Amino acid sequence: MSFLVLLLAVWIEKFSALRQRVQRDAPWLNQLGRLESNPRTAKRPWWILTLTILFPLLLLALVLWIVGSVAYGWLALPIHLLVLIYSLGRGDIKANLGSFRDACRRGDQEAAVLVADRDLGVQAENEEQLLGGVQTYLLWQVYQGFFAVIFWYFVLGPVAALAYRLLALASEHGKTPALVERATQLRHAFDWVPVRLLAASFALVGNFVAVSRVMLTELLNWNISAAGLITRTGCVAGEVPAPVVGVEGVNSLDVLWELLIRSAIVWYAGFALFTLFV
């Protein structure tokens, strides 16, 4: 059933607006804000994470356990699908990059800096930092919004996929430094395996030798961030040239996007083979 849900999620993502209707974070973020502003819980980050993340996960697990014994478990399929869709990344990455790409094509560096800050949250002092930041944005957003989620869904089911997304929301939207720190640490642990599998996928569909050189030094490095590793391996796998604002910069983003698409095909092929033979 997991592979079927993964196929349906891709179809819905491409041909439906269901994701925008399902991904409503406001109630959860409001609850997080109330707990952070409450003097009794503000200094207890683990208690906040328990109430906002562990409790919903336990509730989801209970619901799945109940419906799993009815109609051979097929009643759980829509729950799996809705949870997976909710757990995917937020926003439209290609649409967010649109204004930046237009500015790059015109060679308008000032406009590129402004739209990168406004649309992507990328701040830079020169061309190299600007395009490097946008490349990191593209690779990281696709990884954390798609690859990490489908990995944990396929391995451990919807509970793990939801756990990853709630940790991401807590890390990105939390106001208490202690809470953000702990959520970020837990998310880093969740990222450790899938980000390295994606890097291996880059090696298969890109420059194998160049990616292998990076992975030899970084494979077991706990301290390197997932965004940093995926940027290094993605750029060398796609043989992306030095970052320069202009047509070449737009082309580099296209190369990275195609690299991600090919890697997604490899992952789905792997999921299909695993489903057939295991």
Side-chain angles (χ1 to χ4, degrees), residues 104-160:
C104 282
R105 288 194 187 96
R106 298 193 306 269
D108 190 343
Q109 183 176 349
E110 184 177 349
V113 170
L114 292 175
V115 297
D117 186 16
R118 182 194 66 194
D119 298 341
L120 313 176
V122 174
Q123 298 179 343
E125 298 178 356
N126 53 53
E127 285 190 8
E128 184 175 353
Q129 289 183 0
L130 177 63
L131 194 58
V134 174
Q135 291 169 350
T136 298
Y137 169 86
L138 171 60
L139 290 165
W140 168 248
Q141 291 300 326
V142 175
Y143 161 75
Q144 67 88 27
F146 179 73
F147 285 97
V149 174
I150 66 170
F151 170 82
W152 286 115
Y153 173 77
F154 190 79
V155 172
L156 295 177
V159 174

Side-chain angles (χ1 to χ4, degrees), residues 42-83:
K43 295 182 179 180
R44 299 177 179 178
W46 287 116
W47 181 241
I48 296 176
L49 290 175
T50 298
L51 292 176
T52 57
I53 297 180
L54 184 59
F55 180 74
L57 296 180
L58 292 175
L59 182 61
L60 173 61
L62 177 62
V63 171
L64 290 172
W65 179 74
I66 293 173
V67 300
S69 59
V70 181
Y72 301 100
W74 284 104
L75 288 180
L77 190 146
I79 299 176
H80 278 237
L81 185 58
L82 289 174
V83 171

Side-chain angles (χ1 to χ4, degrees), residues 211-253:
V211 176
S212 298
R213 288 174 183 156
V214 175
M215 294 303 293
L216 280 175
T217 58
E218 303 296 355
L219 179 62
L220 300 178
N221 184 0
W222 175 261
N223 295 318
I224 188 172
S225 68
L229 179 61
I230 210 64
T231 300
R232 289 186 60 187
T233 55
C235 288
V236 298
E239 300 178 341
V240 175
V244 189
V245 173
V247 176
E248 291 184 2
V250 175
N251 291 338
S252 73
L253 297 177

